Amino acid sequence: MKLNQKQLSSNPYARRLLLGSIFILLVSACAKEKKDPAIEATSIVAISASEYNVTFKITEPGDYKIADYGVIYYIGTSSQFDYSYNLNKVSLGSTLSGDTYTASIKLGSIDMYYGTNLKVFAKAYITNTKGTVYSREISTDLMKLTVTNVVPSTTKPGDTVTLQGIGYSTTLNANSVSFNNVNAAVIAASSTYLKVIVPAGIQLSYWNTGITITVNSGGQTFQKDNAINLLPAATGFSPSTGNWYSYITVQGSNLYNALLYFDDLLVTSGNQSYNTISASIPYALTKKKFKIYISVNGIKSEVPGGYFTMSDFEVNPLSSTNYNQGTQITFGSSGFNPTISYNKLLIGSKSVLSNNTYASGDLSFTIPSTLADGSYAVKLTNGVDTTATSQTINIKKPVITGITPPASAYPGTEIAISGTNFFTNNQNVIISFGSYSFYANQFSTNEKITMLIPYISGGNYSLDMNWGGMTVHCADSYTILTPKLSSIVPSSGSGGTSAVINGEGFGVNNSIAVRFGNLDATVMSSTDNQINIKVPSGISKGTWLVYVILNYSNPISTTVTFTVP
């Protein structure tokens, strides 16, 4: 039944009926249940190794006031939303602007301890005054930051290289790169490449020459060993002059494993580090000037600085200008070649190889024994320079004129060999008695050489003097006498008895030992023909042979006996 306005105004019952119906409808509406929200997670996509986009849809906002909505996530090998304490949340606020949303999650530093099969798990949520509603769980494999390739692979500081790979952040300053722990500038970034400038100051070591590139992007770190080859950069060398004893040092960077060349000669480096290579000049190098190069991977480049110049060959004046054939002539110099065969003495028409080099820089030559007497100008060469000395040298053969004492002497006796042109120049002269050869004990003047008669068997010997390759023969032979024992006085007694041994050729200031059999007696004093002794204490009864030993090892034949009653 419909009531019009006139009927309602004139009929009180109708008005009450209408008001009652409205009240019933209002009560019925208030009793209706409010709706809860509903949410659905649709996808999770890796933007980089540290950033993921989670897309979700709110299918029912519900009837309660929304306090918050967004995404919770967790990194692990399996879902642990129900009991994990390590959940992370990204809130999008409390005001809805549509039904589909994307939340960006940034993982930050990731602990890779939990395994290699890590995943990113996510749920969307809505929180209202009644509580929180979650979507179903979605997941994706964790993207691992990886450098797959570096282009170019051979480079130098200041060049730009491209690190190809996956997982880089597209936010430029979210990526950091270092070369052997030296930070590099990142100038461009995408999810699949980074462009960086190779920094200066990269340190290399002798045992590890590869460059390790370390990339950090949003919390993940990747290290690529032996990623590039770093070309050396030489800036100069020092010194610029010297000789074979000089060490040339090349300065620069990344010089480990660089090959060093002097002109076309490959040089063995004696010291190599990140910023220096040092080597001495090879003895076989006989150039006055040469350039220095370094080479890596077949790429050879000149070291700035121009030529290295060998020092001039300078020879010191001789202290003596008189020499015998076969003797040594020694020059002092600052420029001899350490390889003996490169140093030569040019004397007259003869070329003489050196005998030896000394640490002092002196060099010796043997004057040829076949060289005729005379005066000679001399030159020397070291394989690089040839220099003439300012002096001439006089060459003369020595002559023996006599021996004192003449004809014969006992061992240990000092003899003097007289003559002319004994230009020994403080060199050893060898004097031979037959097949026995000995160094002369001392030198006197150019007319005399002295020595002690050696302890060898008595007899008649030819006598020669030898200066290296020159031998001078004495026309007369020389007799070495045999020392003798004649008696012991007294010839009997007990231990401790004083006695005198008589004989010949005991020598003066000689080393003398006396034995009774195998017992040592005490030597009190001695002359050339007498020895004063004490008979060994504790000697037993009997007849004992008495021995005299000269110079520790030369026993005199004996028939002398001593009796202990």
Side-chain angles (χ1 to χ4, degrees):
M1 177 183 67
K2 286 187 177 182
L3 297 176
N4 57 31
Q5 185 66 32
K6 184 177 179 180
Q7 289 173 325
L8 289 173
S9 60
S10 61
N11 188 339
Y13 175 77
R15 287 199 301 272
R16 286 196 298 272
L17 179 63
L18 178 60
L19 291 173
S21 298
I22 292 171
F23 177 76
I24 291 170
L25 288 173
L26 290 173
V27 171
S28 175
C30 290
K32 181 180 178 181
E33 183 178 359
K34 291 185 177 181
K35 292 182 179 180
D36 288 327
I39 190 168
E40 178 184 351
T42 58
S43 67
I44 178 169
V45 178
I47 304 303
S48 69
S50 60
E51 186 175 359
Y52 292 74
N53 283 344
V54 179
T55 302
F56 61 93
K57 185 176 182 179
I58 299 178
T59 57
E60 173 56 60
D63 295 327
Y64 296 92
K65 180 176 177 61
I66 294 176
D68 186 23
Y69 70 98
V71 170
I72 60 172
Y73 63 93
Y74 172 80
I75 303 169
T77 55
S78 60
S79 175
Q80 298 184 24
F81 279 110
D82 294 337
Y83 51 89
S84 175
Y85 62 86
N86 196 26
L87 294 176
N88 301 277
K89 181 172 78 170
V90 177
S91 172
L92 298 183
S94 59
T95 302
L96 298 179
S97 58
D99 56 2
T100 300
Y101 300 89
T102 297
S104 177
I105 62 177
K106 301 183 186 301
L107 302 184
S109 181
I110 299 171
D111 188 353
M112 305 298 285
Y113 169 77
Y114 296 103
T116 58
N117 300 317
L118 294 176
K119 293 178 176 292
V120 181
F121 299 89
K123 288 184 179 182
Y125 73 90
I126 296 180
T127 299
N128 57 25
T129 55
K130 183 179 178 182
T132 300
V133 173
Y134 296 95
S135 72
R136 67 179 179 86
E137 172 190 295
I138 60 174
S139 66
T140 187
D141 291 336
L142 180 71
M143 177 182 285
K144 294 181 181 179
L145 179 66
T146 304
V147 178
T148 58
N149 197 24
V150 182
V151 180
S153 60
T154 299
T155 184
K156 64 182 184 299
D159 289 348
T160 298
V161 296
T162 300
L163 311 185
Q164 299 171 341
I166 58 173
Y168 305 129
S169 174
T170 55
T171 302
L172 190 66
N173 60 9
N175 305 285
S176 65
V177 178
S178 66
F179 291 68
N180 279 12
N181 298 319
V182 179
N183 292 332
V186 182
I187 58 175
S190 76
S191 61
T192 58
Y193 71 83
L194 297 176
K195 289 186 178 294
V196 299
I197 298 175
V198 180
I202 300 173
Q203 296 291 326
L204 295 176
S205 62
Y206 180 76
W207 59 90
N208 182 11
T209 57
I211 303 297
T212 297
I213 296 179
T214 303
V215 179
N216 185 285
S217 184
Q220 281 198 47
T221 300
F222 183 86
Q223 181 172 293
K224 188 173 181 62
D225 296 328
N226 299 316
I228 61 171
N229 294 315
L230 200 61
L231 291 173
T235 57
F237 65 89
S238 63
S240 59
T241 60
N243 57 29
W244 294 276
Y245 294 101
S246 301
Y247 245 76
I248 299 175
T249 299
V250 175
Q251 299 91 22
S253 61
N254 186 34
L255 298 178
Y256 263 130
N257 286 331
L259 300 178
L260 184 62
Y261 284 84
F262 294 165
D263 274 352
D264 295 327
L265 181 63
L266 178 62
V267 182
T268 301
S269 174
N271 183 24
Q272 197 161 2
S273 66
Y274 166 73
N275 53 13
T276 61
I277 301 177
S278 298
S280 59
I281 300 172
Y283 298 165
L285 198 154
T286 55
K287 293 183 176 182
K288 186 67 175 179
K289 299 172 68 174
F290 57 86
K291 289 190 174 182
I292 300 172
Y293 300 86
I294 57 174
S295 175
V296 171
N297 296 332
I299 302 173
K300 188 176 177 182
S301 57
E302 181 182 339
V303 178
Y307 285 95
F308 180 93
T309 303
M310 296 289 281
S311 300
D312 292 338
F313 185 22
E314 296 180 355
V315 179
N316 300 332
L318 294 166
S319 59
S320 173
T321 57
N322 296 316
Y323 293 89
N324 300 128
Q325 293 88 340
T327 59
Q328 300 283 307
I329 182 169
T330 300
F331 296 89
S333 166
S334 59
F336 285 120
N337 192 315
T339 300
I340 295 175
S341 60
Y342 286 101
N343 302 297
K344 296 178 183 179
L345 171 66
L346 308 175
I347 177 170
S349 61
K350 295 184 179 295
S351 175
V352 183
L353 293 176
S354 60
N355 295 325
N356 58 308
T357 51
Y358 301 97
S360 64
D362 293 344
L363 195 69
S364 294
F365 302 85
T366 299
I367 297 175
S369 59
T370 57
L371 193 66
D373 287 2
S375 296
Y376 295 89
V378 293
K379 295 181 180 180
L380 291 100
T381 180
N382 61 0
V384 174
D385 291 330
T386 298
T387 183
T389 65
S390 59
Q391 300 162 294
T392 58
I393 62 173
N394 303 309
I395 306 296
K396 291 185 179 182
K397 293 179 181 178
V399 177
I400 298 175
T401 58
I403 302 175
T404 304
S408 65
Y410 285 105
T413 304
E414 182 177 277
I415 63 172
I417 302 174
S418 302
T420 58
N421 305 326
F422 292 167
F423 303 139
T424 57
N425 295 311
N426 294 324
Q427 299 172 30
N428 288 324
V429 174
I430 297 175
I431 298 179
S432 300
F433 291 82
S435 61
Y436 299 99
S437 297
F438 306 90
Y439 285 116
N441 299 88
Q442 64 186 33
F443 305 115
S444 297
T445 66
N446 291 338
E447 290 80 32
K448 184 173 68 174
I449 295 175
T450 62
M451 72 168 296
L452 298 178
I453 297 275
Y455 284 87
I456 57 178
S457 300
N460 196 32
Y461 293 92
S462 61
L463 191 146
D464 297 305
M465 296 176 63
N466 183 278
W467 286 259
M470 170 62 68
T471 299
V472 179
H473 180 67
C474 181
D476 299 323
S477 61
Y478 202 84
T479 299
I480 296 179
L481 303 174
T482 302
K484 298 176 182 179
L485 297 182
S486 58
S487 65
I488 181 169
V489 179
S491 60
S492 65
S494 59
T497 299
S498 295
V500 176
I501 299 174
N502 299 300
E504 297 178 6
F506 297 149
V508 179
N509 298 322
N510 197 10
S511 170
I512 297 175
V514 176
R515 289 184 184 146
F516 287 62
N518 61 353
L519 300 176
D520 289 329
T522 302
V523 177
M524 308 301 294
S525 63
S526 68
T527 65
D528 191 51
N529 53 21
Q530 283 190 341
I531 305 172
N532 296 305
I533 66 163
K534 282 185 180 281
V535 176
S537 60
I539 192 170
S540 59
K541 294 180 180 180
T543 299
W544 297 79
L545 283 173
V546 179
Y547 296 94
V548 172
I549 297 96
L550 302 179
N551 203 34
Y552 297 107
S553 60
N554 295 277
I556 300 174
S557 297
T558 183
T559 57
V560 174
T561 61
F562 185 85
T563 302
V564 179

